[in-house]
Amino acid sequence: MANIGFDPVQFKNKKVGLKPNFLWASDAEKAIITHPLFFQAIAEIVIEYKGEAYLLESPALDPVQKVLRVGGYEDIIKNLNVIIPDLERATQLLYSKNENFKGCSILSICG
């Protein structure tokens, strides 16, 4: 990370959102989802530097729990105590002046 000018000390006491790419439930070796070992490596860095790792993802076609199971994430999530917030708490914000994106979802993971 030093090569890109980022100091992971910045993770200390922070809630860090990790956004793998989950399209649908698939074996990680098929390269349809972010490989769980890549996710694990990043989560371990966050935790090593005293940050709190959150998995923030809403798969397009399958429930997140199914993607975690089929994709090989379940043990990583459990062993590293990665937090998966309730995505039902997301709030849709609309911005009518934007030509590319009409809105985005904001998720509160605080308190």
Side-chain angles (χ1 to χ4, degrees), residues 39 67 105:
F39 178 87
V67 179
S105 295

Side-chain angles (χ1 to χ4, degrees), residues 2-95:
N3 290 341
I4 61 170
F6 182 80
D7 184 355
V9 169
Q10 296 178 64
F11 291 142
K12 187 174 184 177
N13 300 320
K14 299 287 193 300
K15 295 178 179 185
V16 181
L18 304 177
K19 203 291 191 189
N21 189 16
F22 290 171
L23 185 56
W24 63 75
S26 174
D27 180 280
E29 300 307 321
K30 293 183 180 179
I32 293 171
I33 63 172
T34 301
H35 200 284
L37 293 179
F38 180 79
F39 178 87
Q40 178 180 346
I42 300 301
E44 286 174 346
I45 291 169
V46 169
I47 293 163
E48 176 184 349
Y49 285 89
K50 310 297 183 215
E52 217 174 359
Y54 284 76
L55 185 145
L56 303 175
E57 177 60 297
S58 181
L61 302 174
D62 287 315
V64 70
Q65 293 301 330
K66 182 176 180 182
V67 179
L68 295 174
R69 185 181 72 254
V70 174
Y73 276 75
E74 282 185 323
D75 287 340
I76 294 166
I77 299 300
K78 181 180 175 185
N79 294 337
L80 296 178
N81 295 314
V82 173
I83 298 161
I84 304 174
D86 180 4
L87 296 180
E88 295 300 316
R89 293 176 47 201
T91 300
Q92 184 73 19
L93 299 180
L94 300 176
Y95 181 63

